């Protein structure tokens, strides 16, 4: 991942909708611990997406990463458009 892809990934992460994260299995109302289920994951994610990404269990984070990557523009198409 280069700087531009990373910057875009941060933008994507800040703009994800709750239903998108639920459909992808990122939000599951229980991030691996019993006490996590009493929290509003979506509200916590919107308040601090980067902190919540660090708090997620690996499986949830892997799904978040896959969702973000699915939104990244196709590099080859972008390069052809510039040329």
């Amino acid at each position: 991942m280069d700087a531009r892809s990373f910057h875009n990934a941060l933008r994507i992460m800040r703009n994800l909708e709750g239903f998108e994260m639920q459909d992808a299995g990122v939000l599951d109302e229980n991030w691996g611990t019993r006490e996590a289920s009493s929290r509003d994951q979506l509200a916590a994610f919107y308040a601090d997406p980067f902190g919540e990404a660090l708090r997620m269990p690996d499986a949830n984070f892997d799904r978040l990463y896959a969702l973000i990557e699915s939104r990244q523009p196709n590099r080859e198409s972008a390069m052809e458009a510039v040329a």
Side-chain angles (χ1 to χ4, degrees), residues 4 21 24 37 51-52 54 59 63 65-66 70 78:
R4 181 166 291 169
M21 290 186 286
S37 63
E52 288 301 308
L54 294 171
R63 292 187 286 269
Y65 180 80
S70 74

Side-chain angles (χ1 to χ4, degrees), residues 9 17 19-23 32-34 50 52 72 74 77 79 81:
E17 297 287 340
F19 73 90
E20 296 169 315
M21 290 186 286
Q22 285 180 321
D23 289 349
T33 62
R34 191 174 313 121
F50 310 120
E52 288 301 308
Q72 288 281 14
N74 182 331
S77 297
M79 294 304 283

